Amino acid sequence: MNYRLKLLSYVVMAYMLLAFAWWTILLNQKNEEAYEAKREMLRVAKMANSTYTTEAEFRQSDRYTNLRERYKRRQAMIFGESLVFVLSLFVGFWFINKGYRDIIKNSRSKTNFLLSISHELKSPVASVKLALETILKRDLDKSQLEQVAGGAIAETERLKSLIGNLLLAARLEEAYEINKEPVDSGKVLHQIVNIEKIKFQDADIELHLQAGTEEIYTDKFAFATIMHNLIENALKYSGENPKVEVVLKKRETALEIAVADQGVGIPDEEKDRIFEKFYRLGHEITRSTKGTGLGLFIINKMVEALNGKIQVEDNDPAGSVFRILLKNHLNTPGLSEGRENRD
Ligand code: ADP
């Protein structure tokens, strides 16, 4: 269906181009014929008046030069108009094609989202139900009870964070209101690392905080959300024994955050698209990993709200590095206003 529609639009476009080329040639021919007829009439009139001498003199006469100039002007008009028409046809066609591609892309990412979200919502609910049934039906001892209930709590946590992400993504469609305050970056990062180490027990996470970045001036919730999502992605897309390095350093007056992993990496042609809402890469490791394609969308929106920039590069020898640059984040509140104006 898709292919047929595309073919039909190309055929219509080719027909319009051919038809217009044909009309241009025809119009030009008519212009030429009219010019030649008028020129002959002029020659005959001059002969009748006995003012026609030589062909060279006839071509230099005012009436002939006027006639020829008018003919040339009309010719330029015919070809100029044709060119404008063809160009506008191409531009219009390009816009229609682009709009059509965007609609297909959006509907695909919504379908992807619905597929992953229904699985993500159903599986923790099913696990909690199973845990409760086990507790009811079986006579469990204390340690078994702790294990089953612990699993159920972890599942409800996952559900809570998924719902939280969905609500946050919806909220971020509107502007996110930034509320800056002094933040102990080391403390926030250690808390995140501790949580992630429980989830990914084989993980090796290194934190490097350059002097002067231990206390930053930022929106605490946005900073923690960004760091949590980046570190979790780095671990999720690294396979077994993930190794992740988190660096906070000063770059002139800005704060630079880098989260590097040695995982599967991201192909160049996908580097921009991963920040789109609900977008997930098609490779096996993504498909076998739980997610909704909301994490990087949220990060990107929050970095935008913090007036920062985010980019992703290839790591050496493998994996990816997510790098964020945030201005006015090293300032203490007292200095912030003066400095913000200068940046
Ligand atoms: P989610 O992880 O829930 O799928 P994200 O928005 O966080 O959603 O990421 C979008 C996609 O980008 C992921 O599905 C994954 O394919 C890719 N991706 C994100 N971070 C990394 C990373 N560190 N290494 C490789 N691929 C990544």
Side-chain angles (χ1 to χ4, degrees), residues 301-334:
K301 287 277 175 193
M302 287 196 150
V303 171
E304 233 171 57
L306 289 171
N307 247 333
K309 285 199 170 56
I310 182 165
Q311 61 184 53
V312 56
E313 303 152 17
D314 290 335
N315 200 5
D316 190 26
S320 323
V321 185
F322 283 83
R323 212 177 286 282
I324 297 174
L325 206 65
L326 299 171
K327 280 185 176 179
N328 309 318
H329 272 62
L330 296 166
N331 307 333
T332 56

Short mmCIF file of all heavy atoms in Angstrom, two decimals, residues 301-334:
data_model
loop_
_atom_site.label_atom_id
_atom_site.label_comp_id
_atom_site.label_asym_id
_atom_site.label_seq_id
_atom_site.Cartn_x
_atom_site.Cartn_y
_atom_site.Cartn_z
N LYS A 301 15.03 17.11 27.48
CA LYS A 301 14.15 18.23 27.86
C LYS A 301 14.67 18.93 29.10
O LYS A 301 14.59 20.15 29.22
CB LYS A 301 12.73 17.70 28.14
CG LYS A 301 11.99 17.31 26.89
CD LYS A 301 11.39 18.55 26.27
CE LYS A 301 10.74 18.23 24.93
NZ LYS A 301 10.41 19.39 24.16
N MET A 302 15.22 18.15 30.04
CA MET A 302 15.70 18.76 31.28
C MET A 302 16.98 19.56 31.02
O MET A 302 17.16 20.64 31.58
CB MET A 302 15.94 17.69 32.33
CG MET A 302 14.61 17.19 32.84
SD MET A 302 14.77 16.30 34.35
CE MET A 302 13.20 16.66 35.10
N VAL A 303 17.85 19.02 30.16
CA VAL A 303 19.08 19.75 29.82
C VAL A 303 18.69 21.06 29.13
O VAL A 303 19.26 22.12 29.41
CB VAL A 303 20.00 18.89 28.93
CG1 VAL A 303 21.15 19.71 28.38
CG2 VAL A 303 20.54 17.70 29.70
N GLU A 304 17.70 20.99 28.25
CA GLU A 304 17.20 22.19 27.56
C GLU A 304 16.70 23.21 28.59
O GLU A 304 17.02 24.39 28.51
CB GLU A 304 16.01 21.78 26.70
CG GLU A 304 16.11 22.19 25.26
CD GLU A 304 14.99 21.56 24.45
OE1 GLU A 304 13.81 21.76 24.79
OE2 GLU A 304 15.31 20.82 23.51
N ALA A 305 15.92 22.72 29.58
CA ALA A 305 15.37 23.62 30.60
C ALA A 305 16.50 24.25 31.42
O ALA A 305 16.39 25.38 31.88
CB ALA A 305 14.41 22.86 31.50
N LEU A 306 17.61 23.52 31.58
CA LEU A 306 18.76 24.04 32.34
C LEU A 306 19.66 24.91 31.46
O LEU A 306 20.74 25.31 31.87
CB LEU A 306 19.60 22.89 32.91
CG LEU A 306 18.97 22.08 34.06
CD1 LEU A 306 19.80 20.85 34.37
CD2 LEU A 306 18.82 22.94 35.31
N ASN A 307 19.22 25.15 30.22
CA ASN A 307 19.98 25.96 29.27
C ASN A 307 21.29 25.32 28.84
O ASN A 307 22.27 26.00 28.57
CB ASN A 307 20.31 27.31 29.90
CG ASN A 307 19.58 28.41 29.20
OD1 ASN A 307 19.27 28.26 28.02
ND2 ASN A 307 19.30 29.47 29.91
N GLY A 308 21.32 24.00 28.86
CA GLY A 308 22.57 23.30 28.55
C GLY A 308 22.54 22.62 27.20
O GLY A 308 21.60 22.79 26.42
N LYS A 309 23.61 21.85 26.94
CA LYS A 309 23.70 21.12 25.67
C LYS A 309 24.07 19.68 25.97
O LYS A 309 24.86 19.41 26.88
CB LYS A 309 24.81 21.73 24.82
CG LYS A 309 24.43 23.05 24.21
CD LYS A 309 25.35 23.35 23.05
CE LYS A 309 24.86 24.53 22.24
NZ LYS A 309 24.66 25.74 23.02
N ILE A 310 23.51 18.76 25.19
CA ILE A 310 23.88 17.35 25.37
C ILE A 310 24.29 16.78 24.02
O ILE A 310 23.74 17.15 22.98
CB ILE A 310 22.70 16.54 25.97
CG1 ILE A 310 23.12 15.09 26.19
CG2 ILE A 310 21.45 16.58 25.12
CD1 ILE A 310 22.21 14.28 27.09
N GLN A 311 25.32 15.93 24.04
CA GLN A 311 25.70 15.26 22.80
C GLN A 311 26.20 13.87 23.11
O GLN A 311 26.58 13.58 24.26
CB GLN A 311 26.77 16.05 22.05
CG GLN A 311 28.05 16.22 22.82
CD GLN A 311 29.03 17.09 22.07
OE1 GLN A 311 28.67 18.20 21.68
NE2 GLN A 311 30.24 16.61 21.89
N VAL A 312 26.16 13.01 22.11
CA VAL A 312 26.64 11.65 22.32
C VAL A 312 27.74 11.36 21.32
O VAL A 312 27.65 11.73 20.15
CB VAL A 312 25.47 10.64 22.25
CG1 VAL A 312 24.71 10.73 20.95
CG2 VAL A 312 25.95 9.22 22.47
N GLU A 313 28.81 10.72 21.81
CA GLU A 313 29.94 10.38 20.94
C GLU A 313 30.25 8.91 21.11
O GLU A 313 29.81 8.28 22.07
CB GLU A 313 31.21 11.15 21.40
CG GLU A 313 31.08 12.63 21.44
CD GLU A 313 32.01 13.25 22.48
OE1 GLU A 313 32.96 12.58 22.93
OE2 GLU A 313 31.75 14.40 22.85
N ASP A 314 31.11 8.39 20.21
CA ASP A 314 31.57 7.01 20.38
C ASP A 314 32.67 6.99 21.42
O ASP A 314 33.49 7.91 21.49
CB ASP A 314 32.15 6.49 19.05
CG ASP A 314 31.05 6.30 18.03
OD1 ASP A 314 29.90 6.10 18.44
OD2 ASP A 314 31.35 6.35 16.82
N ASN A 315 32.66 5.94 22.24
CA ASN A 315 33.76 5.80 23.19
C ASN A 315 34.86 4.96 22.55
O ASN A 315 34.64 4.28 21.55
CB ASN A 315 33.24 5.11 24.47
CG ASN A 315 34.15 5.36 25.65
OD1 ASN A 315 35.12 6.12 25.55
ND2 ASN A 315 33.85 4.73 26.78
N ASP A 316 36.04 5.00 23.12
CA ASP A 316 37.16 4.25 22.57
C ASP A 316 37.54 3.13 23.54
O ASP A 316 37.74 3.41 24.72
CB ASP A 316 38.34 5.23 22.39
CG ASP A 316 39.46 4.59 21.60
OD1 ASP A 316 39.17 3.69 20.81
OD2 ASP A 316 40.63 4.97 21.81
N PRO A 317 37.62 1.88 23.21
CA PRO A 317 37.46 1.30 21.87
C PRO A 317 36.00 0.97 21.54
O PRO A 317 35.68 0.74 20.38
CB PRO A 317 38.26 -0.01 21.99
CG PRO A 317 38.14 -0.41 23.42
CD PRO A 317 38.05 0.87 24.21
N ALA A 318 35.09 0.98 22.54
CA ALA A 318 33.69 0.65 22.23
C ALA A 318 32.78 1.40 23.19
O ALA A 318 33.24 1.92 24.21
CB ALA A 318 33.46 -0.85 22.40
N GLY A 319 31.49 1.45 22.84
CA GLY A 319 30.52 2.09 23.73
C GLY A 319 30.26 3.54 23.37
O GLY A 319 30.63 4.02 22.30
N SER A 320 29.62 4.25 24.31
CA SER A 320 29.23 5.64 24.04
C SER A 320 29.61 6.54 25.21
O SER A 320 29.77 6.08 26.33
CB SER A 320 27.71 5.76 23.88
OG SER A 320 27.19 4.65 23.24
N VAL A 321 29.73 7.83 24.89
CA VAL A 321 29.94 8.84 25.94
C VAL A 321 28.84 9.89 25.78
O VAL A 321 28.70 10.48 24.70
CB VAL A 321 31.30 9.56 25.79
CG1 VAL A 321 31.52 10.49 26.98
CG2 VAL A 321 32.43 8.59 25.63
N PHE A 322 28.05 10.08 26.81
CA PHE A 322 27.06 11.17 26.80
C PHE A 322 27.70 12.34 27.54
O PHE A 322 28.16 12.18 28.68
CB PHE A 322 25.77 10.73 27.50
CG PHE A 322 24.92 9.85 26.63
CD1 PHE A 322 25.17 8.50 26.54
CD2 PHE A 322 23.88 10.38 25.89
CE1 PHE A 322 24.40 7.68 25.73
CE2 PHE A 322 23.10 9.59 25.07
CZ PHE A 322 23.36 8.23 24.98
N ARG A 323 27.76 13.50 26.84
CA ARG A 323 28.44 14.65 27.41
C ARG A 323 27.45 15.82 27.51
O ARG A 323 26.76 16.14 26.55
CB ARG A 323 29.59 15.04 26.48
CG ARG A 323 30.79 15.64 27.19
CD ARG A 323 31.88 15.92 26.18
NE ARG A 323 32.55 14.73 25.71
CZ ARG A 323 33.47 14.07 26.38
NH1 ARG A 323 33.83 14.47 27.58
NH2 ARG A 323 34.05 13.00 25.87
N ILE A 324 27.41 16.42 28.70
CA ILE A 324 26.48 17.55 28.92
C ILE A 324 27.28 18.76 29.37
O ILE A 324 28.19 18.64 30.20
CB ILE A 324 25.44 17.19 30.01
CG1 ILE A 324 24.59 16.01 29.55
CG2 ILE A 324 24.54 18.38 30.33
CD1 ILE A 324 23.63 15.49 30.60
N LEU A 325 26.96 19.91 28.81
CA LEU A 325 27.63 21.15 29.21
C LEU A 325 26.59 22.10 29.80
O LEU A 325 25.60 22.42 29.14
CB LEU A 325 28.27 21.77 27.98
CG LEU A 325 29.47 22.65 28.27
CD1 LEU A 325 30.62 21.85 28.85
CD2 LEU A 325 29.94 23.34 26.99
N LEU A 326 26.81 22.49 31.05
CA LEU A 326 25.85 23.36 31.73
C LEU A 326 26.53 24.64 32.19
O LEU A 326 27.46 24.59 33.01
CB LEU A 326 25.24 22.65 32.94
CG LEU A 326 24.47 21.35 32.68
CD1 LEU A 326 24.14 20.66 34.00
CD2 LEU A 326 23.20 21.63 31.91
N LYS A 327 26.06 25.76 31.66
CA LYS A 327 26.62 27.04 32.10
C LYS A 327 25.98 27.43 33.43
O LYS A 327 24.87 26.99 33.74
CB LYS A 327 26.27 28.12 31.07
CG LYS A 327 27.17 28.10 29.87
CD LYS A 327 26.82 29.27 29.00
CE LYS A 327 27.75 29.37 27.82
NZ LYS A 327 27.39 30.49 26.97
N ASN A 328 26.65 28.28 34.15
CA ASN A 328 26.12 28.83 35.42
C ASN A 328 25.75 27.76 36.44
O ASN A 328 24.77 27.90 37.16
CB ASN A 328 24.87 29.70 35.15
CG ASN A 328 25.11 30.71 34.09
OD1 ASN A 328 26.18 31.34 34.07
ND2 ASN A 328 24.18 30.86 33.19
N HIS A 329 26.49 26.70 36.45
CA HIS A 329 26.20 25.65 37.44
C HIS A 329 27.29 25.54 38.50
O HIS A 329 27.18 24.75 39.42
CB HIS A 329 26.02 24.30 36.74
CG HIS A 329 24.61 24.08 36.30
ND1 HIS A 329 24.01 24.91 35.38
CD2 HIS A 329 23.69 23.17 36.66
CE1 HIS A 329 22.78 24.49 35.20
NE2 HIS A 329 22.56 23.44 35.97
N LEU A 330 28.38 26.30 38.28
CA LEU A 330 29.46 26.24 39.27
C LEU A 330 29.34 27.41 40.22
O LEU A 330 30.10 27.54 41.16
CB LEU A 330 30.82 26.30 38.56
CG LEU A 330 31.08 25.10 37.65
CD1 LEU A 330 32.26 25.38 36.75
CD2 LEU A 330 31.33 23.86 38.47
N ASN A 331 28.36 28.27 39.95
CA ASN A 331 28.23 29.49 40.75
C ASN A 331 27.63 29.21 42.11
O ASN A 331 26.78 28.33 42.25
CB ASN A 331 27.30 30.48 40.04
CG ASN A 331 27.74 30.73 38.63
OD1 ASN A 331 28.92 30.61 38.34
ND2 ASN A 331 26.80 31.03 37.79
N THR A 332 28.04 29.98 43.07
CA THR A 332 27.33 29.94 44.34
C THR A 332 26.18 30.94 44.21
O THR A 332 26.24 31.86 43.40
CB THR A 332 28.25 30.37 45.50
OG1 THR A 332 28.74 31.65 45.19
CG2 THR A 332 29.39 29.40 45.69
N PRO A 333 25.10 30.80 44.97
CA PRO A 333 23.94 31.67 44.78
C PRO A 333 24.29 33.15 44.82
O PRO A 333 23.77 33.92 44.04
CB PRO A 333 23.02 31.31 45.94
CG PRO A 333 23.48 29.99 46.42
CD PRO A 333 24.89 29.82 46.03
N GLY A 334 25.19 33.53 45.72
CA GLY A 334 25.54 34.94 45.85
C GLY A 334 26.14 35.50 44.57
O GLY A 334 25.88 36.64 44.20
#
